[in-house]
Amino acid sequence: MSDTQFGLMQGQERSHWIRLRTLIVLRWFAIAGQVIAVSVAQQLYNLQLELGLCLLAIGISVVANLLAIFVFPENKRLSEFENLLMVLFDLLQLGFLLYLTGGLNNPFALLVLAPVTISAAMLGLRSTLMVGGTAIILVTLMAEFHLPLRTEQGFILRIPDVFIFGNWTAIVIAILFIGAYSFRISTEMRRMSDAVSATQLALSREQKLTDLGGVVAAAAHELGTPLATIKLASAELIEELEDQPELREDAALIREQADRCRDILRDMGRAGKDDLHLRQAPLSTVIHEAAEPHLNRGKEILFDEGPLENGSLQQPTILRKPEIIHGLRNLVQNAVDFSKTTVWIEAGWSEERICLHIYDDGRGFPPHLLGRIGDPFMRRRRSESDRKQRPEYQGMGLGLFIAKTLLERTGAELKFSNGAGKPPPHMQERRGAIVVVSWPRDKIDALIGENAVPMGENKWIEV
């Protein structure tokens, strides 16, 4: 992807930031629960709590919420650091309240999991580790240091030490497991969301280019008649101005420029979507069009087309879809980026399938990533060695994901592998990455079933 697209994707990170209003509402629920818990313990069970300090802890949260409401606008979105401060504040406030009410003897100690889960779902790895580490430290301290729960008669309510240790172990394990699980799931969802946005952006760009060609084709058709009229009128003027050479030269220039406009519009219109001959094209034409931007990048690209077993000699004519062109273009780009000198593109067809093989002589795919190829890796930083190997590459690690998504939308199946072992003599150099794209023929063959479109004739106005 280009730098412009990369910047756009970076801007989308803001969409993952949480509104301040959302955290304020959650905090009001927490405050209400704390007030109810303290009131029930004091009034119903007659526990002797440090009521003043408990109300102070709850009051701090109330004041913080009121300040946030009146100081910041309703649509305020918090940055990563601001979110971290909010979550840490809630965690420390809860820890102080639990310290006042029995520590791990209090069954509500389990609530320290809430801030950890929230941070794992909306913050980065470093912030999540900080919140999780703080929670573990607080739980460990509360196991030893806390104000005891006393009944009205002065008896201390406490559970056996073995249960204190069990509670501590369970909470720590829950912090680690739930935090890691929530972080993993939320990260995958964000990556997938960003990657799908990038795919839609790429497809939209290709579609707009096709639509632009349609506009040009329509303009060429509509302007044909006035250009023909101009040429006819200029030809008559030339005949009538035999005795006025200066004016005759001007009329001849008008006819010449009309012919030039006609030729320009005709050339531009051939790329339009209203050109019936470009709604479908031979398989080799589509492959060459997809590879064209990478033909002059210092790597040799070799093409080979031919029938497979039981395939006819007649090359199939396929639908010229933006998804196919852009998807194949990304696969070729990846092969050119990582190859040493040469990329091979082989196309074959049978009565049932159309297949495409892309080979290169590079290092191949990392073996530990073969099972994940096609996932949105969302590359953020490039190593120095990668910069040297691909100095022109400015991508985000989304190329294969976009290619796989677009091609699968057309009915294709993709397989990724590496050249290994002892290949046949004619493939000795093809030890790099191997990509196989295979379609059921009825999915993209323009002359079969629902895809069949009468070719007709593109009529150009000859003037």
Side-chain angles (χ1 to χ4, degrees):
M1 297 179 66
S2 66
D3 290 335
T4 302
Q5 292 169 322
F6 180 70
L8 179 61
M9 292 299 296
Q10 281 184 320
Q12 288 184 355
E13 289 181 1
R14 185 175 178 84
S15 66
H16 299 314
W17 294 355
I18 304 299
R19 287 194 311 156
L20 175 62
R21 186 68 57 183
T22 300
L23 293 183
I24 289 175
V25 171
L26 292 176
R27 186 177 287 168
W28 281 128
F29 279 108
I31 290 171
Q34 291 171 2
V35 170
I36 293 173
V38 171
S39 299
V40 169
Q42 183 80 17
Q43 302 298 326
L44 184 60
Y45 293 102
N46 297 318
L47 297 181
Q48 302 302 306
L49 304 176
E50 294 292 339
L51 190 58
L53 293 176
C54 290
L55 294 179
L56 174 63
I58 298 173
I60 292 175
S61 285
V62 174
V63 172
N65 252 13
L66 293 176
L67 286 175
I69 291 174
F70 291 111
V71 172
F72 299 102
E74 289 190 9
N75 60 351
K76 165 73 174 176
R77 290 187 180 272
L78 302 177
S79 66
E80 170 103 4
F81 180 69
E82 292 169 336
N83 268 316
L84 174 62
L85 294 181
M86 291 283 289
V87 174
L88 282 178
F89 173 83
D90 291 332
L91 181 60
L92 294 174
Q93 187 266 351
L94 178 60
F96 178 58
L97 193 58
L98 290 173
Y99 165 78
L100 299 174
T101 55
L104 293 190
N105 293 287
N106 189 334
F108 289 101
L110 189 65
L111 291 177
V112 297
L113 294 175
V116 176
T117 304
I118 293 174
S119 67
M122 67 182 185
L123 300 180
L125 179 60
R126 183 179 301 177
S127 299
T128 301
L129 291 176
M130 186 178 298
V131 173
T134 303
I136 292 175
I137 292 173
L138 287 177
V139 171
T140 303
L141 292 176
M142 285 189 296
E144 295 293 334
F145 307 102
H146 55 267
L147 298 182
L149 288 173
R150 296 181 181 274
T151 64
E152 187 177 13
Q153 293 78 22
F155 297 108
I156 296 178
L157 296 178
R158 63 186 305 273
I159 59 179
D161 291 341
V162 65
F163 287 103
I164 292 290
F165 176 75
N167 286 346
W168 176 85
T169 304
I171 293 174
V172 170
I173 292 175
I175 289 173
L176 296 175
F177 175 77
I178 295 179
Y181 182 80
S182 300
F183 180 80
R184 179 73 176 182
I185 294 298
S186 62
T187 300
E188 290 293 333
M189 292 176 63
R190 284 196 292 265
R191 284 182 176 177
M192 187 60 66
S193 175
D194 288 342
V196 170
S197 297
T199 303
Q200 292 172 344
L201 180 66
L203 181 58
S204 174
R205 177 179 178 274
E206 192 74 25
Q207 191 64 52
K208 285 180 180 178
L209 292 176
T210 303
D211 293 344
L212 180 61
V215 172
V216 173
H221 178 76
E222 295 297 331
L223 291 175
T225 299
L227 287 175
T229 304
I230 292 172
K231 183 175 180 180
L232 180 61
S234 62
E236 293 178 354
L237 285 174
I238 291 174
E239 294 177 359
E240 294 177 2
L241 296 173
E242 290 288 345
D243 56 344
Q244 301 182 46
E246 293 182 358
L247 296 178
R248 189 173 184 275
E249 289 180 4
D250 291 339
L253 179 62
I254 291 174
R255 183 175 66 175
E256 179 185 342
Q257 294 303 312
D259 287 339
R260 186 183 177 199
C261 290
R262 178 200 63 186
D263 294 337
I264 292 174
L265 288 172
R266 177 179 297 178
D267 291 339
M268 295 174 66
R270 284 173 182 162
K273 69 176 182 181
D274 289 339
D275 187 339
L276 295 177
H277 290 283
L278 287 184
R279 293 182 184 175
Q280 53 196 43
L283 175 62
S284 61
T285 301
V286 175
I287 295 173
H288 280 73
E289 181 179 354
E292 183 179 3
H294 308 292
L295 293 177
N296 299 315
R297 291 180 51 196
K299 308 291 180 67
E300 185 178 11
I301 300 181
L302 303 178
F303 299 89
D304 183 25
E305 296 95 15
L308 301 173
E309 186 178 357
N310 300 325
S312 65
L313 296 177
Q314 178 70 34
Q315 184 176 160
T317 298
I318 67 172
L319 298 174
R320 187 182 171 277
K321 292 184 175 182
E323 294 95 330
I324 295 177
I325 295 174
H326 198 84
L328 293 180
R329 184 169 296 165
N330 277 10
L331 293 179
V332 175
Q333 175 183 345
N334 190 76
V336 172
D337 285 342
F338 286 102
S339 65
K340 295 179 180 178
T341 60
T342 310
V343 173
W344 295 266
I345 302 177
E346 295 184 355
W349 58 88
S350 65
E351 296 298 325
E352 294 80 22
R353 303 196 72 81
I354 295 176
C355 297
L356 185 69
H357 292 72
I358 301 176
Y359 306 89
D360 65 65
D361 59 352
R363 295 178 299 176
F365 297 114
H368 66 284
L369 292 179
L370 273 176
R372 295 181 56 204
I373 291 179
D375 288 349
F377 294 121
M378 298 297 292
R379 180 193 303 251
R380 294 296 185 188
R381 298 179 178 84
R382 300 171 60 208
S383 65
E384 190 64 29
S385 60
D386 194 23
R387 288 192 185 94
K388 292 179 180 179
Q389 181 183 356
R390 302 196 300 167
E392 75 290 342
Y393 180 67
Q394 298 293 334
M396 296 171 62
L398 284 174
L400 289 178
F401 172 82
I402 293 175
K404 187 171 184 290
T405 302
L406 293 180
L407 292 173
E408 286 180 345
R409 185 179 295 182
T410 66
E413 297 178 3
L414 280 79
K415 296 180 180 179
F416 303 91
S417 60
N418 289 323
K422 295 182 178 181
H426 68 285
M427 298 178 62
Q428 285 291 332
E429 297 178 347
R430 308 182 191 185
R431 294 181 175 274
I434 302 175
V435 180
V436 180
V437 187
S438 176
W439 290 270
R441 186 156 178 167
D442 59 357
K443 291 290 186 180
I444 61 170
D445 194 314
L447 305 179
I448 294 179
E450 297 179 356
N451 299 328
V453 178
M455 286 291 290
E457 181 181 355
N458 289 307
K459 299 184 180 298
W460 294 98
I461 298 176
E462 298 294 340
V463 295

